[in-house]
Structure formats: structure tokens, C-alpha cells
Amino acid sequence: MRRPALIRMIIVYVVYTLLICCFQVSFSQVMTFKGQVADLMLIYTVVVSYFYGFLDGAIVGISVGLLRDFFAAPAVTITGGKIVPSVGIGILVMFLASAIASSFFTKRMRRNSLFSLVAVAVVTLLYKVSGHIIIGIWTRAVMHKGYNLTLAQIIFESILPQILLNIVCAIPVILLLRYLGPYRKGINPRFNSESELENNLWLKI
Amino acid sequence: MRKLLTSKWFIVVMAVLLILTAIILGMLPGSPLGKVLKPVGAIASPVQKSIKNIGNNVADFWAAINDGVAIREENAQLREEIAQLEYELTQNEEASIRYEELQDAFHIRDTFSNYEIYGASVLSREADEWFSSIRIGLGNVDGIYLASGDSYAVVDVRMNLIGRVIDINEADSEILPLLHEGFVVSAKVNAVNGAGMIVRGDASLKLEGLCLVTDIDENTVLVPGTEIVTSGDGGLFPQGIPIGVIESVDDSNPLIITATLRPYADVAGLNDVFVMVPFSVIEEQQANIDAGLPPVATSSSDEEEE
């Protein structure tokens, strides 16, 4: 990659990462639906990974995770009932989201823009399901309390509203990254050498 | 072997193991890993403050355009209200003097007279239902410190309970909100010798913005609308901070009566909060500073003492 393109890429990623993370934790109340908050950080990480691959996604994911841990660290109950703000859970979540999204039918679907909405929905679903399972186990094992959310509550009051909200909020993020993103023409030049460009051209939007 | 080392999923597994180790180490008392976020804050905090200010200014400007007529009507109403309040103020001044005289005579203490109140603005809110701590702009630089295992009550402008401080950094603090499933506070009915109970966050009720009330005595009469305040038991929270009102009572099992509580505080609309620190704690910390010691005992020194 040429130097100006590299500088542009870094600047765009830094600006978008800071903007999106800061916006979410400052104005989360304007993006709520049924008690859930649109997860712009997750959406951004997934879309970057889906469009621009694992390397970009992992770096963005770790950066977003760091900011997530700094701005809104999850409070974790540890042994003895003590509650501590944890460091690293955000990094782990965002890194895993980037790893999954960067392999989410990217070759078969040619990093199709519309299909990135499916990637956002699937990663959100995985995040919410695994989150409920882990917190359920943790609540029983460490806090010695029952996790009293019913399956219906988990599905209809947590997972579905979050997926819907994330899909809606993903649209501007997708447009931003595709048309005002870190790469000219919205394509990572590293992919030019990949053979995937040869096939399935009909899928490109 | 080289193929394995450069495999994407191998890198992912190794990175996940590394991050998991860091998370576990970070939870240990006195872990330096907690300071990893300090340089992040140096960059992110000013940016976030600027974005928040820009957003607020845009919202204010938009509101100023939209609410012009409404503001004029409200202004007229407020003028009438001011006239009424000025009259009441003159009446109350005399009552206040008498109350102070009685306070001295009967040694009555104001509910919060033993607490220093620190004001702070909300810097950032929850990112989702699990990344839910709130960050406020009050830290060590403001002369406030937190000892391991200690906590301070956080209230809104109307003195309603918001949550409690769980961590204090150099320039900011983290708050555990009232609705969080790890939050527990000893409470009572807002009456003289009101019945005691426990108010706690609950995973299920959090989705509806409610708290769970447990440990209710079977002889306690709780009805929807009953006001609940902190009881002061346990020493973490002062007595008498309004928490909320009872929304519903489940007495189907007389041995385990539970209720739901709707908190007064609206966390989503919060802009400013107040942290209540006992004067005794401030004096103790100041004495430590004067003696050349750290203001609060560090975790490692705690362990040594144990």
C-alpha cells in the first residue's frame, strides 16, 4: 500500500473509532428500543471486519474493546460478593466479533454490502446468547443466585430488540465505511490479489 | 508447523487465551493491569467530552428553535411561581430560625449533615445491558479516594439514590447503578421506625427499569405507592435517601414476600450526580496524607495486615 493511502486509512480508522465509541456512551439514550441500547461499537467492529478482513477487524476490535472497557466497564461480582470493574471483557468480545465477522461467508458472498446486515445480526445473536449463558453460569456459581430471566424474556426483551436495533443502526455505518471508508472504492487493496475477486461477480453491489 | 503458526484461528485461540489471562489477573486485588486503561483515558476522555459538548449544544440549539413559544408561556408561569415562592420564603425564614433553635435544644441532626457532598457530571453511560457502569467526572484530583471494600452513595439533584461508587481513578469514577444485578442496599419504609427490607438489582426486572425488594417481614404492610428510603444499616449509605416507590407486592407465599420497586432516579436522563462521602472518612484520609502515607490503604497493605 502506498504511503498516502496508508495515512488515510489510519486517520479514518482512528477518527471513526473515537467518534463511534464516544457517540455510543454519550448519547446511548437516543438509540434505545425496549430497554436495549444500539451497540454501535459491535456494529462498527463487525462491518469493518466483514468488509476489510481479519487484520483490520482485529486491530479495530481491540481498540474498540479497550474504549468500551474504559467508558463502560462491566461490573463483575467476584468471590466474597465484591463488585469490581473488569478490564479486558470488552477487548475479548470485540476481538471475537471481528474474528467471526471476517470469516462470515466473505468469500462466498464477496463481502456484499447487504449481506453485512446478516453478519451484524448473526454476531449480535451470538454475543447475546453467549452473554446470557456466561452470566447465567457466573450468577449461579459465584453470586449463588438464580438467573431469573425466562427464555421468553431473553428472546423477546433482550435478543430480538437488540438485533432489530443493531440492524437498523448498521445501515449508516455500512454506508459510511463503504463510501467514506478507510480505502478508496471501499475495497481493501490486499484483496486484489485474492482469487476470490475472480468469482461470483454477480454478488457484488 | 509454520502453517499452523500463521493460521488465523490459531492466532485467535492464542489471543483469546492471552486476553482471558489478563482479565483474570486484572480482577486480583492490587493488579497493575487496571492501570492499562490510563493512557487510553488520556486520549479518549477529552475527545468524548468534546463530542458530548457538541451534541449537547446541537440539542440545545434545536430545542431553542423548537421550544420558543413554549418557553415564553413557561416563562410567564414561572414568574407567577417566583412571586408565590418569594412570599413562601419570607414565611419560611421565620420557621427556619425556630427550627434551628429547636435543633440546638434537642440535639437533632440533619440527615446528611455528616456527609460532604461532591458534585460531578456524568461523562459516559452504559454501552449495553452488560457494559453498564456509569463514569462520572470526579476523581483523586478532586480529593476523593476509595479504600478497598468501601463505597460511597451516589444521588441525583433531588437526592434520590442513583447507585454507588465502585472505583475511583485519577480524574473519574465508576458508578454501579441501582438496577445492576450486583447492587444491594438496606432499606426501610419511609416512616418513623419503618419496616426494614433489602432492595436489590435483578436481571429480569432490570429490563422493565425495576428493582426487587426482599427480606420483607410478614407483618409489614406494603402497598403500591409506599415510599422506600435507605435504612442506613451496614454503614455504606446514610439513612433516609429516597430510593423509589413500591410498584407491586407478591405475598402469595407469606414466608417469602417480595415486591418490585420503581426507582425515583431516571438514570437515562442523568447529567449531574452527587457523591456522599462521610466527613469521618475525609478526615481519616487527610490524616494519612498529612502523615505522608497514602490516603487509603492499598490492597497489598490490606493483605499484609490480614
Side-chain angles (χ1 to χ4, degrees), chain B residues 220-236:
Chain B
T220 304
V221 182
L222 272 188
V223 288
T226 307
E227 187 180 48
I228 304 297
V229 298
T230 53
S231 69
D233 296 342
L236 217 57

Side-chain angles (χ1 to χ4, degrees), chain A residues 38 40 43 117 120 162-173:
Chain A
L40 288 180
I43 296 167
L117 290 174
V120 168
Q162 185 75 71
I163 291 176
L164 277 174
L165 205 52
N166 280 6
I167 288 175
V168 172
C169 292
I171 296 168
V173 178

Side-chain angles (χ1 to χ4, degrees), chain B residues 248-266:
Chain B
S248 66
V249 182
D250 177 10
D251 53 3
S252 52
N253 180 353
L255 296 176
I256 310 169
I257 302 170
T258 60
T260 59
L261 175 139
R262 184 164 293 284
Y264 284 131
D266 171 26

Side-chain angles (χ1 to χ4, degrees), chain A residues 22 70-71, chain B residues 40-50 123 135 172:
Chain A
C22 294
F70 173 73
F71 285 130
Chain B
V40 177
I43 302 166
S45 279
V47 175
Q48 193 250 340
K49 276 180 195 166
S50 311
L123 296 180
R135 216 165 48 90
D172 53 54

